[in-house]
Amino acid sequence: AVERNGLIVAPDGPETPATFGAPFERLSLASGDRTLDATLVRAAQDTAPALLIFHGTAEAVSYWADTQALLYRHGITSMVFDYSGFGRSTGRPTAAHLEEDADSAYAQFVRRVGGRARHYVLGYSLGTGVVFDAVRRFTPAPAGVIFVASYSSAREGAVAFGLIPHWATFLLPDLWNNVRDTRNLRQPLLVVQSDSDQLFPVSMAKAVYDAATVPKQMVVLHGFRHEDGHAHPTDEYWAPVIRFMTGAHAVN
């Protein structure tokens, strides 16, 4: 029931990165017997840092068109894809399919972006659990991992999302536990959370940050709601990510 109600598919809208001034490529990615829809925006230089975005539930690639254009203006290549059953992607949205989608999308992202770019992965909301579970399997390993607007574990996220009462969390498998999985990271980590996120409190992000043993940074944004990273993208919101990808990784 949590899988059905938590993996909320959304139709793809008419917006593309070109709507916001960025050239893009529309891609079809194979994942098992399914086809995933994706949009790739290339920076002018093939040596530019490149970001693969794992979006949240109830979203589709069109929701991220404005953000991709913003990253393009800052010289960053980006790719966003829809999980199985989301947007134009085929198949059913299940946890097992999302894990397979993660591996397939990353492999094709690296191949299409090329070896001269530094590869980064970003999980947003639901997407953090998918990334943190899969990153140990990614080859070549990404240069850094970015956690944005998310939860400490899928169990706690289900409570915050109103899917189950807290007392019932023991009934769920401990899937997509970001606090546990962050301990296995081998890449620098950036954690970004807003103090006005109406779904997930800063304490959840802090638990993930505290568990990491790699070079890490945490940035607390002020006044942004949960969906603002893609619904109302601004330079202020995305500045920590841009700095992380284009500069040296600071260690706190």
Side-chain angles (χ1 to χ4, degrees), residues 41 51 59 65 80 85 87 90 93 103 122 139 158-159 173-174 180 194 216 226 229 235 249:
V41 175
L51 182 64
E59 298 173 17
V80 182
T90 65
D103 295 344
L122 180 148
T139 303
V159 174
D174 197 15
R180 178 193 64 214
S194 172
K216 58 187 178 179
H226 179 73
D235 285 352
H249 301 305

Side-chain angles (χ1 to χ4, degrees), residues 15-26:
E15 298 83 8
T16 70
T19 307
F20 303 97
F24 78 102
E25 302 168 44
R26 190 131 217 160

Side-chain angles (χ1 to χ4, degrees), residues 44-89:
Q45 304 296 324
D46 63 1
T47 55
L51 182 64
L52 178 60
I53 296 172
F54 293 72
H55 67 58
T57 197
E59 298 173 17
V61 294
S62 61
Y63 289 47
W64 285 84
D66 197 357
T67 302
Q68 285 193 274
L70 183 152
L71 295 171
Y72 172 78
R73 292 193 294 273
H74 287 277
I76 292 175
T77 292
S78 67
M79 189 173 101
V80 182
F81 71 99
D82 275 333
Y83 313 112
S84 296
F86 284 67
R88 302 183 189 184
S89 295

Side-chain angles (χ1 to χ4, degrees), residues 133-235:
D133 174 75
V135 68
R136 68 186 186 279
R137 303 190 299 267
F138 290 165
T139 303
V145 178
I146 305 167
F147 171 108
V148 183
S150 201
Y151 49 82
S152 49
S153 71
R155 284 175 166 176
E156 295 299 324
V159 174
F161 219 69
L163 297 177
I164 58 170
H166 197 278
W167 64 262
T169 55
F170 76 94
L171 295 170
L172 295 180
D174 197 15
L175 181 72
W176 298 338
N177 185 322
N178 290 330
V179 172
R180 178 193 64 214
D181 291 342
T182 196
R183 299 188 183 105
N184 299 320
L185 285 182
R186 297 294 178 264
Q187 300 84 10
L189 171 67
L190 171 65
V191 174
V192 180
Q193 196 84 353
S194 172
D195 58 9
S196 297
D197 190 309
Q198 72 275 24
L199 292 182
F200 307 129
V202 170
S203 59
M204 284 192 177
K206 184 66 163 56
V208 172
Y209 173 82
D210 287 344
T213 60
V214 292
K216 58 187 178 179
Q217 306 171 54
M218 181 167 176
V219 177
V220 178
L221 302 173
H222 304 293
F224 293 99
R225 291 178 64 79
H226 179 73
E227 64 280 359
D228 282 347
H230 62 80
H232 304 100
T234 64
D235 285 352

